[in-house]
């Protein structure tokens, strides 16, 4: 009986695994088609200067509206893109689209705005990202310092030397580097220095309940003062109410992002917001 049971469990696990693998394959081929047919789109979430409340730029966030499944969150499709290698094509499209959008905002009289784009570790593996960034800047005629690349700490762990070389050349172009989700990974302070990051983005998990959780409050406050004493900009992610915004302002945090200010928006809504709507 035990043997039969064991076999049943094995078959069940096997079937579940096949279902997961099939799901993955379907997502992958759907994503490939979406990239080829230009069916992905970007939303833009305002980045706000806390002292003035001014919008200083936007973070581009990729969206996939699947014809049958509806919206697929980036937390689901970005890992699929990374594992399948599709991230190189996807990443190139994101860079071109976001810089083109920034060009349109600059032309509409908002030449002070910057654009932040997320990059995955996988985009550094073959170093193609460097050419993609250069091409996007040239095509859209955007000054390099108006483009900020958001990396997580995992990027730096991958292949020290190769990644370092690409980052150095990106910095030489004049683009800004931002450490995303700070506090969740290894948070090596040496990395911040070595790779000449310009900005730290404090992960939303610390920011969201910093009012009720003294440990999180201490972490957020500590990261802000660390950033400022290193001469870096600092942004708090996931600001959802005024109490948090007020506290952050009090702690001299430079920038914020979150539903309290604005959700990620379609381009039409973003320009509306810039016009004061
Ligand atoms: P991220 O770079 O940390 O982006 C911030 C995420 O927080 C976004 O989720 C945004 O919608 C969400 N968010 C912003 N404000 C708030 C808030 O006040 N409360 C809450 N609960 N959430 C807030 P989203 O758009 O689902 O993206 C998730 C992640 O997917 C991003 O995290 C980023 O790591 C990745 N991602 C998105 N677009 C791209 C892309 O074009 N390329 C790459 N490589 N990764 C991307
Ligand atoms: Mg980001
Ligand atoms: Mg983040
Ligand atoms: Mg994140």
């Amino acid at each position: 009986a035990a043997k039969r049971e064991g076999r049943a469990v094995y078959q069940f696990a096997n079937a579940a695994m096949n279902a997961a693998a099939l799901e993955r394959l379907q997502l992958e081929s759907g994503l490939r088609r979406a990239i080829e047919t230009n069916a992905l789109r970007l939303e833009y979430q305002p980045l706000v200067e806390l002292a003035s409340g001014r919008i200083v730029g936007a973070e581009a966030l990729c969206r996939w509206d699947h014809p049958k499944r509806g919206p697929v969150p980036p937390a689901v499709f970005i890992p699929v893109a990374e594992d399948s290698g599709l991230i190189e094509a996807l990443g190139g499209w994101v860079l071109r689209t976001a810089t083109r959008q920034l060009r349109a905002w600059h032309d509409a009289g908002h030449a002070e705005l910057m654009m932040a784009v997320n990059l995955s570790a996988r985009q550094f593996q073959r170093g193609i990202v460097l050419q993609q960034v250069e091409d996007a800047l040239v095509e859209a005629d955007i000054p390099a310092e108006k483009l900020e690349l958001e990396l997580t700490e995992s990027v730096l762990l991958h292949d020290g030397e190769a990644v370092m070389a690409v980052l150095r050349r990106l910095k030489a172009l004049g683009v800004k580097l931002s450490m995303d989700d700070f506090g969740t990974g290894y948070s090596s302070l040496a990395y911040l220095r070595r790779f000449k990051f310009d900005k730290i983005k404090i992960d939303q998990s610390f920011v969201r309940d910093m009012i009720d959780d003294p440990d999180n409050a201490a972490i957020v406050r500590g990261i802000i003062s660390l950033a400022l004493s290193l001469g870096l900009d600092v942004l708090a992610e996931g600001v959802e109410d005024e109490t948090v915004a007020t506290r952050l302002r009090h702690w001299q945090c430079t920038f914020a992002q979150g539903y309290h200010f604005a959700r990620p928006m379609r381009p039409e809504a973003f320009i509306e917001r810039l016009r004061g709507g």
Side-chain angles (χ1 to χ4, degrees), residues 59-75:
E59 176 174 4
L61 294 160
C62 195
R63 298 291 179 255
W64 180 19
D65 304 314
H66 192 282
K68 293 206 189 72
R69 299 164 187 254
V72 182

Side-chain angles (χ1 to χ4, degrees), residues 59 118 150 180 201 237:
E59 176 174 4
N118 293 286
E150 296 194 358
D180 205 353
K201 296 186 78 173
E237 300 189 278

Side-chain angles (χ1 to χ4, degrees), residues 57-275:
E59 176 174 4
L61 294 160
C62 195
R63 298 291 179 255
W64 180 19
D65 304 314
H66 192 282
K68 293 206 189 72
R69 299 164 187 254
V72 182
V76 171
F77 72 80
I78 293 291
V80 173
E82 287 170 343
D83 293 346
S84 59
L86 287 170
I87 194 71
E88 284 191 344
L90 187 151
W93 176 83
V94 171
L95 280 163
R96 282 195 305 280
T97 307
T99 47
R100 234 178 258 155
Q101 183 61 67
L102 187 61
R103 161 64 29 229
W105 292 339
H106 283 189
D107 289 347
H110 304 282
E112 74 291 350
L113 294 179
M114 47 73 69
M115 181 69 78
V117 170
N118 293 286
L119 295 184
S120 303
R122 189 63 203 270
Q123 291 176 260
F124 284 84
Q125 267 175 15
R126 297 196 299 145
I128 280 180
V129 69
L130 183 64
Q131 192 62 50
Q132 289 178 334
V133 167
E134 274 193 272
D135 290 349
L137 289 172
V138 170
E139 276 171 37
D141 189 23
I142 294 295
E145 69 271 15
K146 292 295 187 194
L147 179 65
E148 190 165 283
L149 303 174
E150 296 194 358
L151 319 178
T152 58
E153 289 141 317
S154 65
V155 171
L156 309 177
L157 296 176
H158 261 240
D159 175 358
E161 280 314 304
V163 171
M164 176 109 107
V166 175
L167 284 180
R168 221 184 272 117
R169 294 178 66 183
L170 284 169
K171 279 300 281 188
L173 287 180
V175 301
K176 307 276 191 206
L177 297 183
S178 176
M179 178 75 85
D180 205 353
D181 303 344
F182 190 82
T184 57
Y186 292 81
S187 303
S188 164
L189 302 179
Y191 282 145
L192 285 174
R193 275 283 188 223
R194 198 152 133 234
F195 295 97
K196 299 205 164 41
F197 275 79
D198 299 283
K199 184 189 282 178
I200 294 176
K201 296 186 78 173
I202 308 172
D203 191 69
Q204 47 183 295
S205 60
F206 305 112
V207 177
R208 228 179 301 131
D209 46 22
M210 66 180 218
I211 299 299
D212 303 320
D213 183 336
D215 290 343
N216 282 340
I219 290 168
V220 170
R221 193 177 185 174
I223 296 173
I224 294 168
S225 90
L226 166 84
L228 296 178
S229 56
L230 288 174
L232 302 174
D233 282 331
V234 58
L235 178 147
E237 300 189 278
V239 177
E240 294 187 352
D241 58 65
E242 181 53 36
T243 317
V244 171
T246 303
R247 184 77 57 89
L248 290 167
R249 236 176 257 122
H250 183 68
W251 290 339
Q252 317 292 324
C253 184
T254 346
F255 302 108
Q257 172 179 8
Y259 297 168
H260 174 60
F261 301 101
R263 291 185 176 253
M265 294 184 278
R266 290 175 182 263
E268 311 82 70
F270 195 95
I271 192 87
E272 199 57 25
R273 176 68 181 255
L274 286 176
R275 293 198 190 104

